[in-house]
Amino acid sequence: MSKALKDRIRIVFFDIDDTLYSKNAGLLSPGVEKAFLGLKRRGVIPAIATGRARYIFPAPLEAVIARTGVEHFVTINGQLNLHGQQVVSDYPFAQADLEHITAYLVGQGMGVCYAERTHMSVISMTPAFHAALVPIMRDHSMDQPHEPGSPVYQLVVGFQESQLAGIEASGILDHGRFRTVRWHEDASDLLATEGSKMRGIRDVIGTLGLTLDNVMAFGDSLNDIEMLSEAGFGVAMANGHPEVKKYADHLAPRQDEDGVYRALVELGMIDAD
């Protein structure tokens, strides 16, 4: 890593699933805590940028967050962004849009969950959708109800790629106002088109007086493309989606090979333990 790059990176945003943590194995990469502490010793802020809501972070990561004092969180694909428990910015669905989209999806027999401020609520479920959610919800309940009128930031929807054309033809995406981002063969996120982790990152760094040139981002999945391409330095995981790797400045080893820690050492961002 060049000295100029090393000097300008002041914050590093990490995706969770298959970057820091294997959702299928339920295992956190062993070097995550060392990575966070190593960054902090250099005066660099470790932060999270995830499709997950804050309340469904995996338990092993929560323990590391508590021990290392991580406090900046871009969650729900940038729809709800936090400094500790304080909301930095949020972008809920308009109620009319939420009702219109939900009615169509449920009418088609698709599974639907709402990502709300304090919990996930199940609106409808299918066996395939349930199987996709189990690794994400490993440490959390899926039994909490939706309270009508409470803010919803994202829909998690159970459908296969072959059904996307029908969704697009239905009009519920309102000529591009909304989009889907696939993270499993049986599940996708549905959110506003302008919503992304990158929008959340912009909001968070704006409160810190930083610019995108000061940002490094790690990710592996399709919802990481914006932040890897627009951050000052983007790092894709070797286990990541092939499309995502096209937007990275550097390729890290696999998540199950302690890729985040090893990449930060390779890049000179932290010292080897």
Side-chain angles (χ1 to χ4, degrees), residues 101-254:
I101 293 169
T102 302
Y104 172 81
L105 297 172
V106 172
Q108 294 297 306
M110 298 177 187
V112 177
C113 284
Y114 287 168
E116 304 192 37
R117 176 69 179 87
T118 61
H119 65 276
M120 296 286 290
S121 55
V122 177
I123 307 304
S124 59
M125 186 57 68
T126 68
F129 186 41
H130 184 271
L133 289 172
V134 164
I136 299 292
M137 302 296 290
R138 186 186 306 274
D139 304 312
H140 308 278
S141 169
M142 286 193 286
D143 296 331
Q144 300 186 62
H146 171 61
E147 295 183 7
S150 64
V152 173
Y153 295 98
Q154 177 175 275
L155 279 71
V156 187
V157 187
F159 70 94
Q160 296 184 332
E161 187 66 25
S162 61
Q163 297 173 282
L164 179 58
I167 290 174
E168 292 175 339
S170 73
I172 64 165
L173 302 183
D174 197 10
H175 307 291
R177 282 184 61 222
F178 303 101
R179 65 182 176 123
T180 64
V181 183
R182 183 161 296 280
W183 54 268
H184 186 280
E185 63 181 7
D186 291 309
S188 293
D189 297 329
L190 193 157
L191 66 159
T193 296
E194 67 270 25
S196 69
K197 293 183 184 183
M198 192 66 247
R199 179 166 68 172
I201 287 172
R202 289 180 185 275
D203 292 347
V204 169
I205 66 173
T207 69
L208 299 171
L210 301 176
T211 69
L212 289 178
D213 197 47
N214 303 129
V215 175
M216 179 180 286
F218 280 75
D220 72 286
S221 195
L222 296 173
N223 63 344
D224 297 317
I225 287 176
E226 292 92 348
M227 72 172 184
L228 294 192
S229 61
E230 296 185 44
F233 196 84
V235 183
M237 308 303 291
N239 54 277
H241 192 289
E243 186 66 21
V244 176
K245 297 175 186 177
K246 298 177 184 178
Y247 296 90
D249 299 296
H250 183 79
L251 190 65
R254 295 175 55 85

